[in-house]
Amino acid sequence: MAMFHLLYFFLTFFSCCVHAASNYQERLLLRPLPQSALLASFNFRSNASSTSFEQQHFRYFPRSLGQILQHAHTKELHLRFSLGRWDDENWGQRPWSGTREGGTGVELWAWLEANTDEELVLKKLCGVAMKVDITLRANSRWLTLTNALSGLFCASLNFIDSTKTIRPAMTFEVEGKYTAEARKKLHLLHGSLPHEVVCTENLTPFLKLLPCKGKAGISSLLDGHKLFDATWQTMAIDVRPICTQENADCTLEMEQTVDMVLDTERSARPRDNPIPRPPPIQDIECDTSKPYSADDTCYPVVKDTESAWALTGIFGRPIRGACPLADSNQEQPFAPICINVPPERVVGISSEASFVEQRHDDGYMRCYEPTAGADFDLKLPEQMLSAKSPLQQPRMYASRSFTGNGQERGGVRAVITNTSPEYVSLSYLESLPWFMKVYLHTLRTSIKSPSLTASRREDHVDQPIQDIYYRPAVDRHRGTHLELLLTIPPLSSLILTYDFEKAILRYTEYPPDANRGFDVAPAVIRLLPGSNSSFHDGSAYLRTTSLLLPLPTPDFSMPYNVIILTSTVMALGFGSIFNLLVRRFVAVDEVPMLASGGLGSKVLGQLERVKNSLAWQSDYRKRRMT
């Protein structure tokens, strides 16, 4: 438990105090996971004073993003690019307690400044007073923000329209500090694209926002081939204002985070031979105690040793020294590069220059500070360990799936498990597409807990839902917004179910891969602060996986059949009429009967046709003269 608190302190220390001491900081945390997995957490922080930001004097804060925030009047921004699924059972607690993690695809939420959201304006048209509902400021600025970020990050954020935008009421809270007057002008908007594919074209603009732009420092390890080959990865950008207690000295902080889980064996494959091939049988250490062991049959020995790996082998390159623009603050308790391994684990350092090493008292955390301009590499050999690093188990598990069958109706079943010995309060948020018409009266909850007695179970089954915020969908205008405030007993599972109806789309609204289905955004679960004394004071987030909704699809070949049939009828009709208009018909007796066959008959036939043609022309001239 102490090691977990140390890890959490390392990950959250800079959120509260680094901004006050430096302008740019970068950190890398490496944590080996079971089954040859490695968690690599990159964190970059850039600060700018509010005065310099308003005057557009940018040094470490990127100008491209700063001008977008100013133009869209965005006070706080949170952007996520995610792929894969975090394995809670094998990997334990999520990094950053899920606060720097998004759902599958792209997720965006921001607080925008606007005096009012909607205004009623009186206009006179043809002498009649009319009330016109005009959506101003917040929605228009949200549209400006999504379109600008779409171009900056080469993503499809411009597809976040009104049908994919909601206004959460309980799940998200501001991370910056604002006055009471400024808080009244802030409007929270949230949108997601679960179908978005995150790739290298999103990583390149992400690196360009950094002061060293991936050329030096820990960002030099970020390579698209390795990042998007990870089992799970997420990229996060958070912009928030940080002020002192007197609200006199405010700074704008931008935090960029990259978390990935790599398979060390897969990542270490050479690029010139990436296809996995089994080694020769003579090179495999076989377990001869098996009864089926023979000369041509081998059961590999399961090794309990920690596998060997190095930064150069996993990322394909070493760290290109320290970033010269990063501040070196001696007051910080950790160096830029840290690895979480047992004290007995051998860690080799390969560097062309001197470096500084720091060790925590318990020995589980080792940190290193490289020198600028000198390559830095970590090498861990294969080793047998007597004890492994303790793995902190998550406080909560969540899963969500579809139920029912058929193309007309369906259902959703979500299971949230509380593994802590205390009651937990949480908010549950779902943003559903408009073609999923939810039946709110079918919302049901039940508690499954083997630890509760029958009398205690009856006390808590009826009241797991403390509050509901529901905004129904409007066809082709907005989606369904469902937000619940739940309480789960200790060591229990809450089962949430509801039914919905599938809408029929127009054939032009189907994507090219219509039979694949439609992606439904993951549910967002927030563990409310103070609901669990054994947890930290801040909030923790958890997201389920996205769902794939099959809808009734029409026969898309019918339009082509109609086009082909219509074209055939038009061709036959046009050809017949054209033939009647341009062809000259003559009687049979007007055609001279010539003997068929032979060259003479053909010549005589041609001469006869010429003679008839000349005679017809002569008669025609005479008729015109008369």
Side-chain angles (χ1 to χ4, degrees), residues 493-514:
S493 296
L494 183 143
I495 302 175
L496 176 71
T497 60
Y498 60 85
D499 298 334
F500 64 91
E501 181 182 357
K502 302 178 183 180
I504 302 296
L505 304 182
R506 303 185 181 120
Y507 83 95
T508 56
E509 296 175 338
Y510 286 91
D513 54 347

Side-chain angles (χ1 to χ4, degrees), residues 36-52:
S36 301
L38 175 67
L39 171 63
S41 295
F42 298 79
N43 183 257
F44 312 90
R45 294 180 186 269
S46 304
N47 296 330
S49 65
S50 58
T51 304
S52 62

Side-chain angles (χ1 to χ4, degrees), residues 93-221:
Q93 185 70 34
R94 296 169 179 264
W96 309 96
S97 299
T99 56
R100 299 296 177 261
E101 177 185 337
T104 304
V106 178
E107 185 176 354
L108 171 67
W109 69 96
W111 275 265
L112 297 94
E113 184 181 18
N115 292 332
T116 179
D117 178 31
E118 295 182 354
E119 293 184 357
L120 295 177
V121 181
L122 289 176
K123 285 190 175 181
K124 290 186 177 181
L125 182 62
C126 298
V128 180
M130 300 181 61
K131 265 189 175 181
V132 183
D133 187 10
I134 300 179
T135 303
L136 296 175
R137 293 181 177 87
N139 290 340
S140 61
R141 289 172 180 176
W142 170 256
L143 183 63
T144 301
L145 177 65
T146 55
N147 282 273
L149 293 177
S150 176
L152 180 62
F153 291 100
C154 298
S156 302
L157 292 170
N158 56 314
F159 285 94
I160 299 180
D161 53 7
S162 61
T163 62
K164 300 179 178 65
T165 301
I166 60 172
R167 294 170 177 257
M170 299 179 288
T171 303
F172 297 101
E173 292 289 341
V174 292
E175 297 184 8
K177 295 182 179 180
Y178 306 90
T179 61
E181 187 66 23
R183 241 345 244 283
K184 296 179 181 179
K185 299 180 181 180
L186 296 182
H187 297 267
L188 171 61
L189 292 97
H190 176 278
S192 60
L193 293 173
H195 189 60
E196 181 75 7
V197 178
V198 186
C199 58
T200 308
E201 62 185 6
N202 307 124
L203 176 64
T204 301
F206 183 91
L207 293 177
K208 289 183 178 180
L209 299 179
L210 298 173
C212 289
K213 304 186 184 304
K215 304 299 181 181
I218 63 174
S219 62
S220 59
L221 293 179

Side-chain angles (χ1 to χ4, degrees), residues 429-441:
L429 170 66
E430 280 197 359
S431 177
L432 304 175
W434 63 267
F435 43 79
M436 283 182 62
K437 301 183 181 300
V438 178
Y439 295 141
L440 190 61
H441 70 279

Side-chain angles (χ1 to χ4, degrees), residues 352-502:
E352 300 175 355
S354 60
F355 59 90
V356 179
E357 180 179 0
Q358 301 175 1
R359 289 202 180 196
H360 198 263
D361 296 338
D362 59 1
Y364 281 96
M365 185 71 68
R366 308 181 201 181
C367 298
Y368 305 91
E369 185 173 356
T371 305
D375 291 348
F376 183 84
D377 190 15
L378 291 176
K379 297 182 179 179
L380 284 76
E382 185 177 356
Q383 184 181 358
M384 175 68 72
L385 300 179
S386 58
K388 297 184 178 180
S389 299
L391 192 65
Q392 180 70 17
Q393 293 300 322
R395 301 288 181 180
M396 189 177 304
Y397 297 96
S399 63
R400 189 176 62 149
S401 60
F402 280 132
T403 60
N405 51 39
Q407 298 292 332
E408 185 179 0
R409 294 180 178 86
V412 173
R413 183 176 187 268
V415 180
I416 307 174
T417 303
N418 176 22
T419 60
S420 65
E422 300 179 7
Y423 285 87
V424 170
S425 297
L426 56 93
S427 62
Y428 180 85
L429 170 66
E430 280 197 359
S431 177
L432 304 175
W434 63 267
F435 43 79
M436 283 182 62
K437 301 183 181 300
V438 178
Y439 295 141
L440 190 61
H441 70 279
T442 63
L443 182 64
R444 299 288 185 271
T445 58
S446 61
I447 300 294
K448 180 179 180 183
S449 175
S451 61
L452 291 178
T453 60
S455 59
R456 293 182 61 190
R457 189 180 297 114
E458 292 177 357
D459 296 338
H460 300 286
V461 166
D462 297 336
Q463 298 297 331
I465 300 179
Q466 305 298 324
D467 195 5
I468 298 179
Y469 180 88
Y470 175 69
R471 193 183 189 195
V474 177
D475 287 356
R476 298 174 179 86
H477 288 284
R478 75 182 184 208
T480 300
H481 178 193
L482 176 62
E483 210 163 352
L484 306 174
L485 186 62
L486 306 172
T487 300
I488 306 179
L491 305 176
S492 305
S493 296
L494 183 143
I495 302 175
L496 176 71
T497 60
Y498 60 85
D499 298 334
F500 64 91
E501 181 182 357
K502 302 178 183 180

Side-chain angles (χ1 to χ4, degrees), residues 83-91 94 101 104 231-233 261 398 543-545:
L83 280 177
R85 183 185 69 90
W86 177 268
D87 191 353
D88 300 85
E89 297 181 358
N90 293 323
W91 299 342
R94 296 169 179 264
E101 177 185 337
T104 304
T231 307
W232 173 84
Q233 66 89 11
V261 176
R543 286 169 173 82
T544 63
T545 57

